[in-house]
Amino acid sequence: MITLWGRDNSTNVKKVLWLLDELKLPFQQINAGGAYGKNHEPLYLSLNPNGLVPCIQDDDFVLWESNAILRYLAERAGDETFWPSDLRARASADKWLDWTANSLTVPFRQVFLTLVRVPEPERDMDLVATGMAAFEKHWAVVDKVLAQQPWLSGEHFGLGDIPLAIYAYAWYGLNIERQAHPNVERWYQQITQRPDFQKRVMIPLT
């Protein structure tokens, strides 16, 4: 039985919860991080010395770092949708996990954390503007790719679509002015039709 440590409203935990449901893997969840605490207690630090969520235990195997967990679960399940046997198809989807983490993590914090978690009088709007500009630049990259293929993972929804879709939900949920990226918007509307995305990701932004 897989045990997942992490809270439902964590961006990185949402990715793992969503994939667990897509793969129909049984698991138990221990709420940790944020208001739940526990992530700086000795027990949790013995599993993940970084004190961050998520972290999983699969029997006696422990793994942290959300994208590593996604890859592990996809291969563990042996599901062709999320872990294709074709090397090139798998790599083409997999690259989006690293691209999303490397390109959007910082601007996401600049925009989302400021607008959602910082009281309005204390917000650094110059920081928000910097993050917005970075987001628009990166959405333009994604839009060009999605003009050529229906999903980031290729011809079918797959692992490469999951991390960016988490950010897209937050992006489209904010009361902000956005540039038009029609292919991203088409892709995102397809994502929102997935029941497991609705269940795990489309929850109030907090």
Side-chain angles (χ1 to χ4, degrees):
M1 170 70 78
I2 294 170
T3 298
L4 168 65
W5 294 76
R7 66 190 191 279
D8 291 348
N9 66 343
S10 160
T11 299
N12 288 324
V13 175
K14 285 180 180 181
K15 291 189 286 190
V16 177
L17 287 167
W18 179 15
L19 183 59
L20 283 166
D21 285 352
E22 291 277 0
L23 295 171
K24 296 179 171 53
L25 290 173
F27 69 97
Q28 62 178 346
Q29 182 180 359
I30 299 175
N31 285 313
Y36 295 99
K38 299 180 185 174
N39 55 313
H40 295 296
E41 295 177 0
L43 173 58
Y44 188 79
L45 292 174
S46 71
L47 302 173
N48 182 357
N50 301 291
L52 302 173
V53 293
C55 176
I56 64 165
Q57 295 170 275
D58 190 3
D59 295 326
D60 61 348
F61 177 66
V62 176
L63 184 64
W64 35 270
E65 287 297 324
S66 60
N67 285 346
I69 293 171
L70 294 183
R71 294 179 179 106
Y72 172 78
L73 293 175
E75 186 165 12
R76 181 188 186 279
D79 187 318
E80 276 286 320
T81 300
F82 295 98
W83 200 253
S85 55
D86 180 82
L87 175 62
R88 293 182 178 182
R90 188 167 68 245
S92 293
D94 185 34
K95 72 174 182 287
W96 289 104
L97 276 68
D98 291 335
W99 183 89
T100 301
N102 292 332
S103 299
L104 292 180
T105 298
V106 171
F108 176 77
R109 289 173 179 161
Q110 292 170 330
V111 176
F112 178 82
L113 294 184
T114 302
L115 294 179
V116 175
R117 297 183 180 171
V118 175
E120 186 170 357
E122 301 172 22
R123 292 174 187 168
D124 182 345
M125 297 310 294
D126 288 337
L127 188 66
V128 172
T130 298
M132 289 279 294
F135 253 105
E136 296 291 10
K137 174 184 175 182
H138 295 313
W139 284 134
V141 171
V142 177
D143 200 70
K144 288 181 181 178
V145 172
L146 290 173
Q148 305 299 319
Q149 60 192 55
W151 302 94
L152 292 177
S153 299
E155 292 302 309
H156 305 283
F157 170 79
L159 195 66
D161 297 280
I162 287 180
L164 189 58
I166 305 294
Y167 286 133
Y169 173 68
W171 178 254
Y172 287 111
L174 292 172
N175 183 23
I176 55 177
E177 292 187 12
R178 306 174 192 83
Q179 297 176 20
H181 300 291
N183 298 303
V184 173
E185 291 156 17
R186 181 265 308 160
W187 165 82
Y188 179 65
Q189 287 305 312
Q190 293 176 167
I191 291 284
T192 64
Q193 301 308 305
R194 302 191 70 83
D196 294 321
F197 181 82
Q198 295 170 4
K199 175 184 176 183
R200 296 299 187 180
V201 183
M202 298 181 75
I203 62 177
L205 297 173
T206 57

